[in-house]
Amino acid sequence: MKKILIATTALVATAGVASADVSLSGDARMGVIYDGSDLNFTSRTRAQITLSGESDGGLSFGGSFDMHNAGDASSGLSGSAFVSGEFGKISMGDVDGAAKAAVGQVDGVGLTGLDDLNEVVYVNGGTDVDGDASDDTIYPNPAALYEFTTGAFSFYAGAGDPAGKSEAESVLTTGGPTSGNITTTTLSADETYSVGAKWAANGFSIGLGFETVQAALTVSDTLGTFVPTAVQGTISQIIIGASAEFGDFTIKGIYGDISTSKSLGGGGDQWAISGTYAMDALSVTAFYSDISIGIGSAEAYGLGAAYDLGGGLSVKGGVVNDRGGDTIADFGVSMSF
Amino acid sequence: MKKILIATTALVATAGVASADVSLSGDARMGVIYDGSDLNFTSRTRAQITLSGESDGGLSFGGSFDMHNAGDASSGLSGSAFVSGEFGKISMGDVDGAAKAAVGQVDGVGLTGLDDLNEVVYVNGGTDVDGDASDDTIYPNPAALYEFTTGAFSFYAGAGDPAGKSEAESVLTTGGPTSGNITTTTLSADETYSVGAKWAANGFSIGLGFETVQAALTVSDTLGTFVPTAVQGTISQIIIGASAEFGDFTIKGIYGDISTSKSLGGGGDQWAISGTYAMDALSVTAFYSDISIGIGSAEAYGLGAAYDLGGGLSVKGGVVNDRGGDTIADFGVSMSF
Amino acid sequence: MKKILIATTALVATAGVASADVSLSGDARMGVIYDGSDLNFTSRTRAQITLSGESDGGLSFGGSFDMHNAGDASSGLSGSAFVSGEFGKISMGDVDGAAKAAVGQVDGVGLTGLDDLNEVVYVNGGTDVDGDASDDTIYPNPAALYEFTTGAFSFYAGAGDPAGKSEAESVLTTGGPTSGNITTTTLSADETYSVGAKWAANGFSIGLGFETVQAALTVSDTLGTFVPTAVQGTISQIIIGASAEFGDFTIKGIYGDISTSKSLGGGGDQWAISGTYAMDALSVTAFYSDISIGIGSAEAYGLGAAYDLGGGLSVKGGVVNDRGGDTIADFGVSMSF
């Protein structure tokens, strides 16, 4: 993830002249993954683009995106751009909500992340709820995030794209009241706001966030059995997280309380905890997470280890008991460039 | 848009050895846009690839494409490649027609271009006619453009891909003669040619272009109400443009006369004018455009300003009265790397 | 195809510190192609990303992918990653099977490859059987390839992704037993293995490979005329190739014997030969190929020439008699950066 390219402008710039750079970084991995029933190969090769500049007046500005998301980044649905100065930092694009920016996630395990089951759900800012490696939440992009740091404190405020361009999640379910019917449930976001604050010093940190979405739930079907209905309501979360380092050992914990309007179904709560022991090139991580939203409690836990071979190469592996009770595992080499 | 990477081959090259480079540039923006009814965030982050080389005999060659169009560029539908020498320059790919290369466009306004309503229509070479930010013309790619410059004069000749791979525009219209019917109108290009010339010196320029397309208009519908029909004909344009600098003030004007075969509907004319005042870091632009093709006259006008903060960062904003009479506006920061 | 970017880490690295680089290369071409009935323009502009690093212990690792395949590369379906050391080299992603790695292909002709009709079919590892420039074989990615070289000998072993993620080829055929019916034939891979060996020294080389696929052939149709059937079986190939340099002349030949389970239809054999004469900047290539698999023998032959203008620019052209008896040809400039 380091900057790896030299800008011509930087090399030939006379002192005091602002310059703008484009740099590339990359990552790759290869190994095997056991998905609960089959053993498969897994590999990937990626690159990231980082743009950075500084105005004559000392404002920093830039952006970044993944090369495989270049199409979405060109329309603000992936990647992000920012301007920062003494006033703080404003980012726009596929940015986190303020609650996630302040609280984050506990540590995960494995070569591939193993469905990232260590992660809690954020109402704003792209979380993978059902562990299928694709974001499920309905935060409309381009979203905006403001960050301000003073001493040990950081403050965050976020908003999804105002009404008119909100993204929506569609769920297709075959069957339904009439045989052959296809029912579509669409959850769309209207107004989305979030705030957060974080304190970090001496190896300890505490983060607190609040986030809310004005959501609409619409049900329709192909056979017209349902009268299309739209249920309006609010989904909100108060979430708190903390981390502490004790020598080579780091512990992290997060608790979130989600409340929804009655019309959208009940809320729930979620928590996750991780412990990571790191000494020299070796690190070992364990996590436990429990998400109880609407449809009952679902817990997951996992254990993983990584060994750093230097130069960007490391060996990683993990084993996780997922929310359906299956054991999934992976092992391989991870590379960063 | 500067070259920002150093080629190894250049650094280690011994004198006289030709070298080939790959360089990256980037751009980004973030702000707000009012589309006539709603205020939305707008952001994007992009990168461009520039390839350049020189043969032992002194021929320059290269190419360029946007990273988010890498797929289309790999098949000649986006980006372009070129070879240039004393004979001139030959480009192929998603290149402009000769008329557009000679005459160009008047200045536009805003952070996002605000639907580029300052632009006139070119029959060859990708113009956005209806302001929906997607090209509507039917120039078949890969197209070719030849340019030759001697003194103050430049000459251009262009051709779309010969018969067999022409692109087509499809317009879906619900309704039609029978309720529930979907009518598809397809305009496809057959042979496309264009020529142009430009004179530029001492802050003044005059450009002249002629372009023509052998087109076929096909109408069909889902219910089979229509007998599918194909109308053959020609669409041509003579277009002239001029620009003049008076100190800090630049004025540009373009007039185009479009003639079509009777069978393809009537032709029309179009004109656009812009004035830009630039002093130090500030520039202010106003434009007026009137496109009268077939379905009546549609005028648009706008005003915008940009302030350059140095290093590639600028603040931009604009307000435009679009062809439907709505007022659209945007404001934000624009970045180049 | 050279590395063209300098890594910051390399420039500032102190001796002995391992570093990781991201480099870009590019290629482009433009010209004309005659497809047997029409003359068309052809052009493309591309870039490749190469990742490379070295661990503290001296292991080399890296990866590469085409920019226009960045999406597939991020999920292991295109590009590849590798680790190499004294134990050999392990690659994963869209890698060749071991037979192809050992035996390769004879030389082809033309600016565009002219459908690569010089190429023989490999059961494992992406070959374009029907010359439509898209891979037809059913090797499931990410696949893995192991290579080990000692002296003049190289050994290869390969495997497609184990069961669960295999790719499949679908062939749609209109008509069929009932008018308006659409029959789909799907050939899917189950277990795929390959081994190969190569000896190369003093301008001579011999390669030998064996590859096998456990395949299933499924036929279904839209009108339900067929009872969907799945035929299991094996497709295997023994293939041998050799090359020899005689001064400025290089000759290459390949012979492959494909055997299939009776239930999957008969096997067949294939051979290809090429001769290339290269002197100074000029090279002339001729090839002949004959693929006799199942549906009868189909031969192709072609002649082409390339002239290197230095710096990465060359002029290329070719003419080929394809397997349907048509004559196809192309001519233009090829560029590498």
Side-chain angles (χ1 to χ4, degrees), chain B residues 216-301:
Chain B
L217 191 72
T218 312
V219 179
S220 61
D221 65 345
T222 48
L223 294 181
T225 308
F226 290 115
V227 176
T229 54
V231 179
Q232 301 281 339
T234 304
I235 305 174
S236 300
Q237 178 172 222
I238 296 177
I239 192 162
I240 186 166
S243 70
E245 293 177 21
F246 305 99
D248 298 328
F249 192 70
T250 303
I251 188 166
K252 296 181 182 177
I254 296 176
Y255 174 80
D257 182 62
I258 296 180
S259 60
T260 64
S261 302
K262 277 258 170 61
S263 54
L264 290 173
D269 63 357
Q270 55 180 342
W271 59 274
I273 190 169
S274 72
T276 295
Y277 174 81
M279 210 180 87
D280 300 330
L282 177 71
S283 77
V284 178
T285 296
F287 79 87
Y288 187 97
S289 71
D290 193 331
I291 298 183
S292 306
I293 305 176
I295 51 164
S297 176
E299 59 176 18
Y301 47 88

Side-chain angles (χ1 to χ4, degrees), chain C residues 162-213:
Chain C
K165 288 185 181 173
S166 57
E167 282 183 291
E169 180 194 16
S170 289
V171 182
L172 294 174
T173 49
T174 53
T178 307
S179 172
N181 198 8
I182 298 178
T183 305
T184 305
T185 304
T186 304
L187 184 62
S188 59
D190 202 7
E191 296 183 3
T192 57
Y193 299 105
S194 56
V195 291
K198 184 180 185 180
W199 172 90
N202 307 319
F204 295 85
S205 77
I206 295 179
L208 182 67
F210 172 77
E211 51 183 358
T212 184
V213 175

Side-chain angles (χ1 to χ4, degrees), chain A residues 18-63:
Chain A
S19 65
D21 296 357
V22 179
S23 65
L24 288 177
S25 54
D27 68 82
R29 66 187 187 205
M30 57 186 229
V32 292
I33 184 167
Y34 177 76
D35 63 6
S37 55
D38 288 311
L39 188 73
N40 284 107
F41 295 154
T42 179
S43 77
R44 73 177 184 195
T45 318
R46 309 192 303 180
Q48 297 81 36
I49 293 87
T50 302
L51 311 172
S52 58
E54 188 177 317
S55 77
D56 292 345
L59 289 174
S60 293
F61 61 94

Side-chain angles (χ1 to χ4, degrees), chain C residues 34-35 47 50 68-69 106 108 131 136 147 191 217 221 242 245 267 270 274 288 297 308:
Chain C
Y34 177 75
D35 63 6
T50 302
H68 63 280
N69 291 331
V106 303
D136 304 310
E147 304 166 63
E191 296 183 3
L217 191 72
D221 65 344
E245 294 177 21
Q270 56 179 343
S274 72
Y288 188 96
S297 176
D308 186 354

Side-chain angles (χ1 to χ4, degrees), chain C residues 269-326:
Chain C
D269 64 357
Q270 56 179 343
W271 60 274
I273 189 168
S274 72
T276 295
Y277 175 80
M279 210 180 86
D280 299 331
L282 177 71
S283 75
V284 178
T285 297
F287 79 86
Y288 188 96
S289 70
D290 193 332
I291 299 184
S292 306
I293 305 176
I295 51 165
S297 176
E299 59 175 18
Y301 48 88
L303 180 67
Y307 191 88
D308 186 354
L309 296 171
L313 183 67
S314 54
V315 177
K316 290 183 179 176
V319 55
V320 164
N321 195 71
D322 71 14
R323 288 178 189 138
D326 286 327

Side-chain angles (χ1 to χ4, degrees), chain A residues 2-336:
Chain A
K2 356 177 158 157
K3 288 191 188 173
I4 50 91
L5 304 177
I6 300 284
T8 301
T9 46
L11 288 181
V12 302
T14 52
V17 172
S19 65
D21 296 357
V22 179
S23 65
L24 288 177
S25 54
D27 68 82
R29 66 187 187 205
M30 57 186 229
V32 292
I33 184 167
Y34 177 76
D35 63 6
S37 55
D38 288 311
L39 188 73
N40 284 107
F41 295 154
T42 179
S43 77
R44 73 177 184 195
T45 318
R46 309 192 303 180
Q48 297 81 36
I49 293 87
T50 302
L51 311 172
S52 58
E54 188 177 317
S55 77
D56 292 345
L59 289 174
S60 293
F61 61 94
S64 64
F65 59 99
D66 288 327
M67 192 176 287
H68 63 279
N69 291 331
D72 279 348
S74 73
S75 59
L77 302 180
S78 186
S80 63
F82 75 88
V83 172
S84 67
E86 293 185 358
F87 61 86
K89 179 181 180 179
I90 299 178
S91 308
M92 201 178 279
D94 179 26
V95 292
D96 286 339
K100 188 176 181 186
V103 178
Q105 300 284 7
V106 304
D107 294 342
V109 302
L111 174 70
T112 65
L114 289 170
D115 294 344
D116 298 326
L117 295 174
N118 58 302
E119 297 189 352
V120 295
V121 177
Y122 285 96
V123 174
N124 287 3
T127 319
D128 178 15
V129 181
D130 53 12
D132 64 354
S134 147
D135 285 343
D136 304 311
T137 50
I138 53 171
Y139 202 44
N141 284 341
L145 177 66
Y146 168 74
E147 303 166 63
F148 182 80
T149 297
T150 175
F153 286 93
S154 296
F155 300 95
Y156 307 87
D161 190 28
K165 287 186 181 171
S166 57
E167 282 185 291
E169 179 194 17
S170 289
V171 182
L172 293 173
T173 49
T174 52
T178 307
S179 172
N181 199 9
I182 298 179
T183 305
T184 305
T185 303
T186 305
L187 183 62
S188 59
D190 202 6
E191 297 183 2
T192 57
Y193 300 104
S194 56
V195 290
K198 184 180 185 179
W199 172 89
N202 307 318
F204 295 86
S205 77
I206 295 180
L208 181 67
F210 172 77
E211 52 183 358
T212 183
V213 175
Q214 298 289 334
L217 191 72
T218 311
V219 179
S220 62
D221 66 345
T222 49
L223 295 181
T225 308
F226 290 115
V227 176
T229 53
V231 179
Q232 302 281 340
T234 304
I235 306 175
S236 301
Q237 178 171 220
I238 295 177
I239 192 162
I240 186 168
S243 70
E245 293 177 22
F246 306 99
D248 298 328
F249 192 70
T250 302
I251 188 166
K252 296 179 182 178
I254 295 176
Y255 174 79
D257 182 61
I258 295 180
S259 58
T260 64
S261 301
K262 277 257 170 62
S263 53
L264 289 172
D269 64 357
Q270 55 180 343
W271 60 274
I273 190 168
S274 73
T276 295
Y277 175 80
M279 211 180 86
D280 299 331
L282 177 71
S283 77
V284 178
T285 296
F287 79 87
Y288 188 97
S289 71
D290 192 332
I291 297 184
S292 307
I293 304 176
I295 51 167
S297 176
E299 60 174 18
Y301 47 88
L303 180 67
Y307 191 88
D308 186 354
L309 297 171
L313 183 67
S314 54
V315 177
K316 289 184 179 176
V319 55
V320 164
N321 196 70
D322 71 13
R323 287 176 190 140
D326 286 327
T327 297
I328 57 179
D330 62 13
F331 180 79
V333 290
S334 177
M335 318 172 190
S336 70

